[in-house]
Amino acid sequence: MTMTPKPQNIYNTTDFYIIALYLANFELAEPQTSHTSTSRSSDSGEACGAGNKWASKLLSECARAISEKDSSKIHNLLWMLNELASPYGDCDQKLASHFLQALFCKATDSGQRCFKTLTTVAEKSHSFDSARKLILKFQEVSPWTTFGHVASNGAILEALDGASKLHIIDISHTLCTQWPTLLEALATRNDETPHLKLTVVVTASIVRSVMKEIGQRMEKFARLMGVPFELNVISGLNHLGELTKEELGVQEDEAVAINCNGALRRVGAEERNSVIRMFQSLNPRVVTIVEEEADFTSSRYDFVKCFEECLRYYTLYFDMLEESFVPTSNERLMLERECSRNIVRVLACDEENDGGECERRERGSQWFERLREAFSPVGFSDDVVDDVKALLKRYRGGWALALPQGDHESGIYLTWKEEPVVWASAWKP
């Protein structure tokens, strides 16, 4: 079968319509461009953590006091932070509020209980409608998630080009929002439209509750696009390390792609290599990995070092939210609450004895060392890089694409104000 030309710009100007069509009962709303829909929520106009950085200083001092078990100092600093912090204030106040909760849990050894309570509350208020609104708004104002979608979809389409039976194993918590644009690209191929089997692996309980509705929409959208489609959902896993090759049901005549978007960081550090070897046993044509650029793994036994890295990363993230959303945005508040749960999990939970998932990010260079034991890196083609650059032009200033600087790295980076925040890569056996 001859190679078909790749459609130009896989994430073109209609893509938000395509995702909305899939998510929203096929009713399209008027578009809102991210260039005009964002504003800063701080009257001062300063970036998060700018100015005197009082939050970072007090929080770091408190973390050191906890590490040193200085109870008097801990008490005084927690009291001071509690007086100054607010989840509804400026960026410093928000940082103080969310990290204060984690520090209090660490100091009182109540992290596991607090995290479970926060998760239960989030699950009770979670619905398909709220998730849909959150995802659409976040993708409208920020490329944080769409960057990885575009890079991965481009690599998958190129690797599976010419195959008639495709099997994509999706291991992510993005509610299948990556796949409408890929389905649209398959539908517009010049040759015969291939059959697509999508296996979605779900480990987060908050995602399980909406997968039935998501599956129904995916099937309807595939029919609308005219793509032969089969959806399988694997749920009931406590963590990705429990997934087996047999559960995935890979057939010999299928061209396999494995898509991991923010999934490997939820695997315990000691289990990651075995999960990667399981991927290798499936003999995929391509494995796409997208992870956020932070290191909560090598420092997990050094509380102060881990705290400083966590504070650095979430300061960037809160700064991005500050400049991307309007002050009264409910979606922004939901994202900040999610951050708060994750901060508690990283800093105050004993994940080794939890029995479930973790939240231990690693940097692209660290993932590179792990992945190259089983796979070879695949550079993104010029077409895919051009697609990502075209995507970033849709958003406000501050975003850019960066290439690796060293020999022990691969993939591409999304940067926010010149700081790498998301890493995307592609691999083959």
Side-chain angles (χ1 to χ4, degrees), residues 5 62 64 71 109 114 146 219 248 292-293 339 371 392 399:
C62 188
R64 286 190 291 271
S71 58
D109 197 24
C114 178
T146 52
E219 290 167 351
L248 295 168
E292 293 165 347
E293 184 70 359
C339 289
L371 288 159
L392 299 185
W399 298 104

Side-chain angles (χ1 to χ4, degrees), residues 249-304:
V250 173
Q251 303 299 315
E252 290 185 3
D253 60 346
E254 294 174 340
V256 176
I258 301 174
N259 179 74
C260 287
N261 192 325
L264 289 180
R265 69 169 179 261
R266 294 183 168 91
V267 179
E270 291 74 17
E271 291 185 284
R272 288 175 182 175
N273 291 341
S274 64
V275 170
I276 291 169
R277 286 194 297 272
M278 190 271 288
F279 291 166
Q280 183 187 33
S281 72
L282 298 171
N283 194 31
R285 288 199 183 183
V286 68
V287 178
T288 52
I289 306 291
V290 179
E291 287 290 342
E292 293 165 347
E293 184 70 359
D295 178 12
F296 302 159
T297 300
S298 66
S299 60
R300 64 189 184 278
Y301 301 121
D302 184 335
F303 177 70
V304 173

